[in-house]
Each structure stands twice: as C-alpha cells, then as structure tokens.
Amino acid sequence: MSRKQRKQVIEAELREPSISRQCQLLDLSRSSFYYEPQPIDPEDLELMRLIDEQYLKTPVFGSRSMVRHFWRQGRKVNRKRIQRLMRLMGIEAIYPKPHTSRPHPEHKFTPICSET
C-alpha cells in the first residue's frame, strides 16, 4: 500500500484509536499525515524557465556558470537555489565522467605497427 493510500485510510474524526496510534499501525509517520505540499513559487517557475532556456543553449553550464550568467544579466540569484532548481528539473552539466577513456575489456587491441 502506498503512502498516499495509507494516509487516506486514517480517520481523523475518530477518538479511538488516536491519529498517532493509527499512523503507528499503518507504519506512517505522523508528520506525513499532517504534511500538505506547498505549490511552487511563481518566481521559481520563471527562474526554471530561464535555466531551461540557457541550458538548451549551453548544456555544459553547471550551477556556478548558470549563476554567473544570471548575475551578468542583472538577476541576483544564489547558487544553492540554482542547484536545487536544476536538481528538481533533472538537469546537470555535461562533462566527462570518470573512466571515460578506459578501453572496454572485450575490445581487441591492434597495434599500429607490427614487427616483421
């Protein structure tokens, strides 16, 4: 049963068992029961749109480069905010990952010059 389904099973109007006990029986934290998600701030949505536009032009930009880009445009933003929004959008800078130059173990090595 998903968290959402378990949350719907709880009957808050009942005096017994208490909400705390119902949450315990359903293996759901009480804070999850009371939590209401907040809508995304319109300013963040606008910033996400700008990040997306810039990312399509320069996919090598990470959060630091993105912040410098916005500062040059006169928009004062925090790097951690840009990081959070990029993570939320599921984008990251394109850069060489570790071990990209290692040959595949099954790749046959052929020397350029052969001894005769």
Side-chain angles (χ1 to χ4, degrees):
M1 189 181 302
S2 73
R3 180 181 299 164
K4 188 176 182 181
Q5 291 171 331
R6 288 182 287 176
K7 190 175 172 180
Q8 290 173 344
V9 170
I10 295 176
E11 298 176 10
E13 299 81 31
L14 292 180
R15 188 91 175 138
E16 287 293 324
S18 65
I19 292 174
S20 180
R21 179 68 180 143
Q22 290 181 56
C23 288
Q24 187 181 22
L25 291 170
L26 292 170
D27 194 30
L28 182 74
S29 66
R30 207 169 78 237
S31 61
S32 297
F33 174 71
Y34 290 110
Y35 176 74
E36 292 180 15
Q38 298 295 314
I40 298 176
D41 185 33
E43 189 178 329
D44 280 348
L45 288 173
E46 174 64 20
L47 195 53
M48 287 167 73
R49 186 186 65 76
L50 293 171
I51 289 171
D52 190 43
E53 279 180 17
Q54 187 59 37
Y55 183 77
L56 290 174
K57 293 176 190 171
T58 53
V60 295
F61 274 15
S63 62
R64 294 171 196 264
S65 303
M66 203 66 76
V67 166
R68 281 194 302 271
H69 169 74
F70 288 128
W71 274 64
R72 276 187 240 119
Q73 289 184 337
R75 189 180 283 268
K76 305 290 186 216
V77 289
N78 187 337
R79 184 173 72 89
K80 290 183 181 180
R81 183 179 185 190
I82 298 293
Q83 275 182 326
R84 178 180 59 84
L85 294 175
M86 286 177 74
R87 200 176 321 118
L88 185 66
M89 296 166 66
I91 60 176
E92 68 175 22
I94 296 175
Y95 61 94
K97 306 296 191 270
H99 310 298
T100 53
S101 60
R102 286 191 177 173
H104 192 275
E106 294 179 12
H107 182 75
K108 182 183 173 193
F109 175 73
T110 51
I112 296 174
C113 59
S114 60
E115 294 181 30
T116 54

